[in-house]
Amino acid sequence: MDLQQFLSGNLSDEDIESLLGQMKTHIIPMLTEEAQKLDIPDSEEQIEVPKFGTVDFGFSAIQIDSFNIPEESLTLKMQGNSIHLECQKISGSIRSFDWFFRQHSFPKLKDKGQATASISNTTVSLVLQLTISIRGTQLEVSNSVVKIGNLDVKVKKNAKSLVYNLVISLVVRLLKTKL
């Protein structure tokens, strides 16, 4: 396959499969590396929790520690100058991060500490726009969607960790939207 053939879109199924196969060997390490560099912003939220009332909670210093994309779950499709990429069954872990909790009503529990988290059954879908010119090849992300299937958060040991692990299970849905 030459550049002219590629630019014209006259690619055989074999050419496309070869190109996509080569991309797979480069995309998984790149996505893994980029995920570990993600800067997840600190968050502070106030929600109503059944039987606890109004609760303030927040987290900070979140950084992805590991990110595993099974190669067999990566699909790539070419459509014009777009590459549609989907990775399924992604798993990973989040390094120890800071959290706080403050209940507004009796018994006004409050505390802070550290927790860990893991994700599984996560899907990432990307649309990449491919531009080839005299100046070179450019690949830009034009659309991205991340769906976290499972998010498991555990408070590290302290006197009230059992209570906090119960409360955290109620607010995990909000955390999922932040990640």
Side-chain angles (χ1 to χ4, degrees):
M1 164 178 48
D2 62 21
L3 181 59
Q4 188 65 29
Q5 185 182 14
F6 181 81
L7 290 174
S8 69
N10 293 328
L11 300 175
S12 68
D13 289 342
E14 187 178 292
D15 289 336
I16 291 172
E17 286 302 313
S18 173
L19 179 63
L20 295 179
Q22 290 174 33
M23 289 183 71
K24 279 185 177 185
T25 62
H26 298 289
I27 287 176
I28 290 176
M30 179 195 69
L31 287 176
T32 300
E33 183 179 322
E34 290 302 315
Q36 291 173 330
K37 290 183 201 174
L38 278 176
D39 182 23
I40 299 170
D42 298 351
S43 180
E44 186 171 325
E45 303 291 332
Q46 186 175 80
I47 62 168
E48 289 295 319
V49 179
K51 301 189 186 217
F52 281 88
T54 303
V55 173
D56 293 336
F57 74 94
F59 53 86
S60 61
I62 292 183
Q63 188 173 7
I64 295 175
D65 189 34
S66 67
F67 195 75
N68 180 40
I69 302 170
E71 187 175 319
E72 65 277 2
S73 75
L74 178 67
T75 59
L76 295 163
K77 294 178 186 167
M78 298 272 303
Q79 190 173 25
N81 67 335
S82 297
I83 300 169
H84 296 260
L85 174 142
E86 184 170 280
C87 309
Q88 297 179 343
K89 299 178 184 173
I90 297 171
S91 61
S93 63
I94 297 171
R95 288 188 184 138
S96 181
F97 60 92
D98 300 324
W99 63 271
F100 77 88
F101 169 91
R102 185 173 42 251
Q103 182 184 18
H104 288 250
S105 58
F106 183 78
K108 293 194 176 190
L109 297 171
K110 68 178 185 176
D111 206 350
K112 61 184 179 179
Q114 293 195 318
T116 58
S118 62
I119 60 169
S120 61
N121 202 25
T122 296
T123 301
V124 173
S125 299
L126 300 172
V127 177
L128 307 168
Q129 293 300 123
L130 183 64
T131 307
I132 300 175
S133 68
I134 295 171
R135 289 177 264 178
T137 304
Q138 187 176 14
L139 195 59
E140 288 184 15
V141 176
S142 63
N143 189 26
S144 64
V145 176
V146 177
K147 294 179 183 176
I148 298 175
N150 301 312
L151 174 63
D152 185 34
V153 179
K154 294 290 184 212
V155 171
K156 289 191 173 183
K157 291 184 180 181
N158 75 24
K160 301 173 195 136
S161 63
L162 178 62
V163 171
Y164 296 143
N165 280 321
L166 290 172
V167 172
I168 283 178
S169 69
L170 297 173
V171 297
V172 157
R173 279 179 248 130
L174 181 61
L175 275 175
K176 284 172 72 170
T177 65
K178 297 293 180 180
L179 296 175

